[in-house]
Amino acid sequence: MRPTRFKNPQAEDGQFQLRLIVAYVFMLLMFCVLIARFIWLQVYQYEHFSTLAQNNRISLLPILPNRGLIMDRNGVILAQNYSAYTLELVPSKMPDMNATVAELKKLVNITPRDEKLFKKLQGESKDFESIPLKVKLTEEEAARVAANAWRFPGVQVKARLFRDYPYKELTSHVLGYIGRINQKDQEQLDDEDKTTNYKGTNYIGKTGLEAVYEDDLHGQVGFEEVETDSGGRAIRSLRRTPPVNGNNLKLALDIRLQEVADKLFGNRRGALVAIDPQTGGVLAFLSKPGFDPNLFIDGIDSQSWAALNSDWQKPMINRALRGTYPPGSTFKPFVSMAALETHSIGMHDVRPAPAFFTLPGSSHQFRDSNKNGNGSANLAKAIQVSSDTFFYKLAWDMGIDKIAPTVGQFGLGRPTGIDLDGEASGVLPTKEWKAKRFARYKEEFRRWYPADVVSIGIGQGFNSYTPLQMANGVAILANEGVAYKPHLVQEVVDAKTGKSRLVEAKPDRTLPFKKENFEYVKAAMQSVLKPGGTAWRLGVGLPYTMAGKTGTAQVVAIKQGAKYNASALAEQYRDHSWFVAFAPVDKPRIAVAVIVENAGFGAAAAAPIARGLFDYYITGKVPGSISGDMKTVPMDTADDAAATSD
């Protein structure tokens, strides 16, 4: 029998009331928490969540500016833009990329080169980035892909601007090229706080003027605010900030003169730099051979890259800017200026110019290029006939401490400061240079010997200069000491206002040398093209005044007593052919340095190129030897090209 439980109604009622109060308090606390959370979200976090909501609804789309044009001094377009369709893939949005590409091949002509380049770019990009598979689609191809877009998630057809260099090899070492922005470029943009201005931009200047004037050419990116739906599709435009197109560059360079220089060179290797002595503007800047910069814009394929790098003629090297060579006898006018300025010789002093020169106490013979010598000569005649023994002795008497300081003021042995990156310094030898250059060798190699200066006197030995430095030095000499910094860009034209900003219009410095010494050396150089001079044939029928100096620079040393025989040497060991010149003599309009690699005597190879170039520049006459090869330079104007870009 179960025990009987007695209920206490008062106690049970009390417990029920307590539970009711606890539940009420709990609900009240929860309600307070909700109110607090509501206040926190609506008041204190309002800005944050409002921004997130706006971002979900509004997207900012970059609007790319047109890259600035580059034109020559006459307005001929050298670098331009054109629009075309590209087929681009976003790997992260594609379920099976290989299958998609296979299907796309049925709609578009995708070559093995396109696929190889795509894989290369894919390796350099992130999966969510848009990567071009095929550029420059035809309108029919673009329409086919667009009509089948629903079948290919992650596939886009975009209209983009492309860069074009119509003169290809002719301007490759001046303009350089643009290329896709890689990780290194991106890091540099981040460091320079330029990331925002490169939103949506795929290309940047890599070399040449394209790189040096990147800030001017690129312009300012614009933005468009668009409202999007839940699927991310744009519904309407809310606000638009237009882009500012890049500035245009107008060069001092004359593309027709450049073409004449190129044709005169033919297939030979070397470099030519022509400068206006009155302004420092570079009229022609040629490095042979060159390369097609268009290959690099969307990433060069491995086959073309291997071909350029394996070419023994090294077309990628900018010889005018980075090639350093012994100047040979073209160095003698500068030594002459040093001799006159230091009173090491008088204008009328006559000295021996025998077949060979020997140092005191030595049997070693420094031979003259004329096996019979030139008898005796004053300084002017020594320049005219290019007497080596005269300058051996003159340099020996002067010593390097008198030669280097004067010659250095012509800009030899140091960068000229031209508006291109990567300029070589060259070598103007001094005692300090030798000690530093051979610092890790024994004392006997670091020491400066008096005999070191002998070969330097004729432009051999440790001398090593770029064609640009030689052209700049001759321009300063022709302009009697008034020096301008060489520059390729003459004007930067503001794309928005059309106003021009001149580049380097003022003299950089004036050499403190005597006018009569300049006139003496210039007259001696003029006599080089007259009967008795080393380039007298060049002066025949000259319709204007011209001064110059031939040079033949040894590439390898010839043993004592041995005779130079070019045909017995491999081509790369034969002498270089040099010529420096300016014209007209009284008021020079053009100064030039030409080197033809391994071409022998300066008067035979380099000098005729300078004569043909001067004939065209001063008289407008195209040399008969190339008149049939000249192609007509299109007369596109900046306005035409701008219209194409738009």
Side-chain angles (χ1 to χ4, degrees):
M1 185 174 178
R2 296 177 61 183
T4 301
R5 292 186 60 186
F6 294 98
K7 292 184 178 179
N8 186 343
Q10 285 186 330
E12 290 181 351
D13 186 58
Q15 286 180 350
F16 177 76
Q17 290 295 331
L18 180 61
R19 288 172 185 165
L20 196 63
I21 290 171
V22 170
Y24 177 76
V25 169
F26 179 76
M27 289 176 62
L28 186 62
L29 285 174
M30 290 299 102
F31 187 70
C32 290
V33 169
L34 285 175
I35 291 176
R37 182 63 177 169
F38 180 77
I39 294 173
W40 171 259
L41 293 175
Q42 291 296 321
V43 178
Y44 295 100
Q45 293 294 309
Y46 172 79
E47 291 294 335
H48 173 68
F49 287 104
S50 176
T51 302
L52 289 179
Q54 287 291 324
N55 288 343
N56 284 336
R57 188 175 66 88
I58 298 174
S59 294
L60 272 180
L61 302 179
I63 307 172
L64 302 185
N66 290 348
R67 192 172 179 84
L69 307 174
I70 303 177
M71 63 197 87
D72 86 337
R73 65 189 299 120
N74 299 308
V76 179
I77 302 299
L78 308 180
Q80 60 189 354
N81 309 312
Y82 68 94
S83 60
Y85 293 112
T86 63
L87 176 62
E88 301 188 10
L89 311 184
V90 182
S92 64
K93 296 182 178 178
M94 303 175 65
D96 186 342
M97 189 167 66
N98 292 333
T100 302
V101 171
E103 287 298 313
L104 287 171
K105 283 182 178 178
K106 298 175 183 176
L107 305 175
V108 177
N109 179 27
I110 299 171
T111 65
R113 181 182 180 277
D114 295 329
E115 288 189 86
K116 192 178 291 184
L117 187 56
F118 173 78
K119 289 178 180 175
K120 180 186 174 189
L121 294 175
Q122 188 182 7
E124 300 170 352
S125 308
K126 296 171 182 172
D127 277 353
F128 59 81
E129 292 180 336
S130 185
I131 305 168
L133 173 62
K134 174 79 177 179
V135 297
K136 304 172 189 173
L137 296 177
T138 65
E139 290 190 2
E140 188 177 339
E141 288 176 328
R144 277 202 295 266
V145 175
N148 289 274
W150 59 274
R151 295 170 50 199
F152 305 117
V155 176
Q156 303 169 314
V157 174
K158 291 187 175 179
R160 290 191 181 276
L161 281 178
F162 289 88
R163 199 66 159 168
D164 179 53
Y165 305 103
Y167 293 98
K168 301 179 180 177
E169 293 87 351
L170 197 57
T171 56
S172 57
H173 289 294
V174 176
L175 305 183
Y177 53 83
I178 64 170
R180 292 182 67 84
I181 295 176
N182 57 28
Q183 187 63 34
K184 185 179 177 182
D185 298 324
Q186 189 59 57
E187 290 172 0
Q188 186 171 350
L189 291 173
D190 293 341
D191 293 342
E192 297 174 357
D193 198 22
K194 296 178 179 175
T195 306
T196 303
N197 196 35
Y198 277 80
K199 286 286 185 186
T201 304
N202 294 322
Y203 299 95
I204 194 170
K206 297 283 188 177
T207 64
L209 294 178
E210 291 277 25
V212 173
Y213 289 88
E214 171 63 25
D215 288 345
D216 280 303
L217 291 166
H218 175 65
Q220 294 288 324
V221 170
F223 290 94
E224 183 175 18
E225 285 186 22
V226 295
E227 186 176 2
T228 58
D229 62 13
S230 58
R233 292 180 289 270
I235 300 173
R236 60 175 175 146
S237 175
L238 301 176
R239 190 172 60 180
R240 190 175 191 273
T241 303
V244 178
N245 291 336
N247 296 329
N248 298 329
L249 303 183
K250 189 169 186 178
L251 309 188
L253 184 139
D254 183 336
I255 190 62
R256 294 179 184 80
L257 192 68
Q258 182 93 343
E259 187 181 17
V260 167
D262 181 74
K263 296 301 180 188
L264 288 167
F265 254 91
N267 294 323
R268 293 174 290 184
R269 287 168 287 107
L272 178 151
V273 179
I275 295 177
D276 181 348
Q278 307 298 325
T279 65
V282 176
L283 303 169
F285 190 93
L286 188 69
S287 177
K288 293 275 291 183
F291 60 92
D292 185 356
N294 294 298
L295 292 172
F296 289 85
I297 295 175
D298 288 299
I300 188 169
D301 63 89
S302 55
Q303 190 175 0
S304 300
W305 178 247
L308 284 173
N309 280 283
S310 60
D311 189 338
W312 72 274
Q313 299 189 89
K314 306 298 180 188
M316 296 291 290
I317 294 179
N318 190 336
R319 288 171 162 81
L321 186 74
R322 296 195 52 77
T324 57
Y325 308 84
S329 294
T330 58
F331 193 60
K332 290 172 182 173
F334 302 106
V335 176
S336 299
M337 282 297 301
L340 292 171
E341 285 294 323
T342 57
H343 307 289
S344 299
I345 194 170
M347 292 181 183
H348 304 293
D349 292 351
V350 176
R351 294 184 178 178
F356 61 86
F357 168 74
T358 57
L359 292 171
S362 171
S363 61
H364 181 87
Q365 294 182 351
F366 294 87
R367 292 173 297 177
D368 195 275
S369 57
N370 182 346
K371 66 179 182 180
N372 298 317
N374 293 285
S376 59
N378 62 9
L379 186 60
K381 182 183 176 184
I383 292 174
Q384 182 188 25
V385 300
S386 198
S387 171
D388 291 331
T389 51
F390 183 97
F391 279 94
Y392 285 142
K393 180 67 165 55
L394 181 61
W396 168 260
D397 291 341
M398 294 174 68
I400 196 64
D401 290 340
K402 287 188 176 179
I403 295 175
T406 305
V407 173
Q409 296 197 53
F410 287 93
L412 301 182
R414 66 185 185 194
T416 64
I418 192 174
D419 43 355
L420 287 176
D421 288 334
E423 184 180 5
S425 297
V427 176
L428 173 59
T430 62
K431 295 173 182 175
E432 295 75 19
W433 169 84
K434 189 178 181 184
K436 185 177 180 182
R437 169 65 180 81
F438 299 99
R440 60 192 179 94
Y441 295 91
K442 295 179 180 178
E443 167 63 22
E444 61 192 87
F445 293 103
R446 299 195 301 270
R447 189 184 310 148
W448 183 271
Y449 295 97
D452 287 341
V453 78
V454 175
S455 296
I456 289 172
I458 64 161
Q460 292 288 157
F462 296 123
N463 280 309
S464 183
Y465 310 110
T466 67
L468 172 61
Q469 288 173 352
M470 292 301 294
N472 184 44
V474 172
I476 297 171
L477 177 60
N479 209 22
E480 299 186 354
V482 180
Y484 291 83
K485 185 187 293 184
H487 54 277
L488 284 157
V489 175
Q490 186 171 271
E491 299 174 36
V492 178
V493 184
D494 191 298
K496 200 170 183 179
T497 65
K499 293 182 179 178
S500 293
R501 185 179 80 235
L502 292 177
V503 177
E504 303 287 351
K506 298 179 181 177
D508 185 51
R509 63 188 186 282
T510 300
L511 276 56
F513 300 155
K514 294 178 181 174
K515 181 177 175 62
E516 54 264 34
N517 291 340
F518 280 116
E519 292 175 344
Y520 180 89
V521 173
K522 287 171 64 174
M525 291 176 70
Q526 191 174 1
S527 70
V528 170
L529 285 84
K530 294 180 177 178
T534 53
W536 68 270
R537 287 188 176 86
L538 205 69
V540 175
L542 198 64
Y544 48 86
T545 56
M546 177 176 174
K549 183 68 193 77
T550 55
T552 307
Q554 285 185 339
V555 175
V556 293
I558 303 299
K559 290 181 179 178
Q560 185 76 181
K563 186 178 179 181
Y564 175 75
N565 181 4
S567 59
L569 295 172
E571 182 180 339
Q572 63 267 34
Y573 298 127
R574 296 173 188 168
D575 294 346
H576 295 319
S577 177
W578 272 102
F579 193 67
V580 296
F582 56 92
V585 175
D586 291 339
K587 192 172 183 179
R589 293 170 50 198
I590 183 171
V592 69
V594 186
I595 180 171
V596 185
E597 292 181 0
N598 312 116
F601 187 40
I609 293 176
R611 169 68 194 269
L613 194 79
F614 283 14
D615 282 353
Y616 177 77
Y617 188 71
I618 295 175
T619 70
K621 177 186 174 185
V622 176
S625 60
I626 63 166
S627 58
D629 298 331
M630 289 288 289
K631 61 182 180 182
T632 304
V633 174
M635 289 298 293
D636 292 344
T637 65
D639 292 339
D640 293 337
T644 304
S645 296
D646 292 338

